[in-house]
Amino acid sequence: MSSGDDAARAEAQPNDGRDGGNQGLADTTENTSAEAEEPAKAEEVAKNGFRGRPTAYTEVDGLSERYPMNHRPRGSALIFAHSKFDNKSLNPRPCAAHDAEIARAAFKALDFKPEVFFDLTRNELLRELQAVSKRDHSGSDAFAIVFMSHGEVKTRNNMEFVWAKDDKIPTKELWINFTAERCAGLAGKPKLYFIQACRGPDVDKGVNMSRAVRGMAVQTDSIEEYVIPIHADQLVMWASYPGFPAFTSKRKGIQGSVFIHYLAENLKDYANTSPRPSLSSILLKVSREVAVLYETDIGSDNQYHENKQVPYIHSTLLREIYF
């Protein structure tokens, strides 16, 4: 093939494509005919934009480094605490009421409107999440969920679940209703999820660390349009690393879940400081304190004796959060 043919072929290729993949299904004959058989889709595209992209409205500049925090209350903070379970193989969680109260107080101190729910069934939980996603969130700056229960992992596919009172749900159900295309009122706003639940049975005995000592002790009148991914502006913080358990304690001033204790303590403490630090720095301190200050004391005959725990964060936040 001539160099001219190569150049023509290269020019015909799209500038962007899926790494390691084929062109999108939208360009295939099979998908085109499927769309032709569903004329109703054309109306949806006309309403929502190219390929059904919905439109949401925001006050924030696309490259702003901070999320705006201008409302009181900041938004809703849903706290789901589970203490009793129909499945008798699941131990009761007597710390649930205590953990729910310290979480409620922490988010109230940050100017959220906390709502506490105890021992919801699977259907009640899913209905509540769907109902909240349909509220008018236009007057909110952010949204939060704190979920406390037992957790479970399917080893076959590593799919994670959390338990309601009577049944389990995939963990992703906690946030799936609040993505940008399903809940336009929260599009472009931070959505925060804090999950106290075990993520597996692995053991973490930690590593001894020895410190080496060296030496001596705007505002604009123009309208900007930009597009964000549907899963942007989301932070999920689990109590423990994937595959590992989360612990409760009645030592060192802790009266329930270790993660919830340090999370609530730091959120409430920093709510009273001025200026308030960024949420990322607060959560970094939470992780550090859980990892360094806590170690289980269950008894030497238990595999989880002298075990460590470290929280785990998955974030698609685009900006810093300063409450």
Side-chain angles (χ1 to χ4, degrees):
M1 184 180 291
S2 69
S3 59
D5 291 335
D6 288 337
R9 178 183 290 256
E11 186 175 346
Q13 296 297 318
N15 291 328
D16 296 294
R18 183 162 57 89
D19 188 6
N22 298 317
Q23 292 185 12
L25 291 178
D27 296 329
T28 64
T29 304
E30 181 179 357
N31 197 59
T32 303
S33 23
E35 288 182 357
E37 293 172 2
E38 300 181 50
K41 285 188 176 181
E43 182 179 349
E44 181 182 352
V45 170
K47 177 181 178 182
N48 292 329
F50 178 65
R51 292 185 182 173
R53 175 181 289 165
T55 298
Y57 299 94
T58 180
E59 301 173 1
V60 64
D61 176 271
L63 296 181
S64 174
E65 295 183 358
R66 294 189 180 193
Y67 289 101
M69 291 287 156
N70 304 317
H71 295 89
R72 296 290 191 282
R74 299 293 188 205
S76 297
L78 310 183
I79 300 168
F80 297 100
H82 291 84
S83 60
K84 301 175 183 178
F85 303 90
D86 293 346
N87 186 331
K88 299 309 177 185
S89 67
L90 299 175
N91 292 327
R93 301 182 65 255
C95 64
H98 168 80
D99 290 347
E101 173 53 28
I102 62 174
R104 185 204 63 79
F107 279 93
K108 183 174 179 60
L110 289 172
D111 298 311
F112 280 80
K113 182 181 179 182
E115 303 172 54
V116 182
F117 304 88
F118 285 105
D119 295 329
L120 296 189
T121 65
R122 178 183 183 276
N123 288 339
E124 289 171 341
L125 174 61
L126 294 177
R127 278 199 300 267
E128 190 64 39
L129 292 170
Q130 291 172 357
V132 174
S133 72
K134 294 175 181 177
R135 291 180 186 172
D136 179 5
H137 296 278
S138 59
S140 299
D141 294 321
F143 175 75
I145 287 179
V146 182
F147 187 90
M148 297 172 280
S149 185
H150 289 297
E152 181 179 322
V153 179
K154 290 291 185 184
T155 55
R156 179 173 56 85
N157 55 9
N158 288 327
M159 189 172 183
E160 295 193 62
F161 297 86
V162 288
W163 276 89
K165 184 178 185 295
D166 62 337
D167 202 356
K168 61 191 175 186
I169 64 169
T171 308
K172 66 181 181 180
E173 291 286 349
L174 296 178
W175 56 79
I176 197 170
N177 290 292
F178 303 99
T179 55
E181 90 284 16
R182 293 195 182 192
C183 185
L186 289 174
K189 301 174 182 179
K191 294 161 282 285
L192 313 172
Y193 306 92
F194 301 96
I195 303 172
Q196 166 65 36
C198 290
R199 307 184 71 192
D202 291 347
V203 175
D204 182 351
K205 295 298 184 182
V207 175
N208 287 326
M209 302 295 292
S210 178
R211 181 170 177 259
V213 179
R214 298 180 181 178
M216 301 183 63
V218 210
Q219 192 173 11
T220 177
D221 293 329
S222 63
I223 297 177
E224 177 201 11
E225 294 184 353
Y226 57 91
V227 178
I228 59 171
I230 62 175
H231 292 288
D233 307 302
Q234 175 177 290
L235 179 143
V236 185
M237 188 174 189
W238 284 269
S240 59
Y241 193 81
F244 290 81
F247 294 100
T248 62
S249 180
K250 292 187 177 180
R251 298 182 299 115
K252 298 184 177 181
I254 304 171
Q255 295 298 319
S257 304
V258 175
F259 168 62
I260 297 297
H261 169 80
Y262 286 109
L263 175 68
E265 184 177 72
N266 279 283
L267 290 178
K268 192 171 182 180
D269 285 350
Y270 280 116
N272 297 319
T273 62
S274 181
R276 291 177 180 175
S278 68
L279 179 65
S280 60
S281 65
I282 297 173
L283 297 186
L284 185 63
K285 186 169 183 285
V286 172
S287 293
R288 183 166 61 248
E289 290 182 349
V290 172
V292 174
L293 299 181
Y294 180 73
E295 182 175 295
T296 61
D297 184 8
I298 304 176
S300 57
D301 58 338
N302 191 299
Q303 66 171 332
Y304 293 114
H305 180 59
E306 296 182 341
N307 210 77
K308 301 296 290 183
Q309 175 180 332
V310 63
Y312 182 89
I313 294 176
H314 169 82
S315 175
T316 59
L317 294 180
L318 306 182
R319 321 175 203 286
E320 290 280 13
I321 299 174
Y322 290 86
F323 292 121

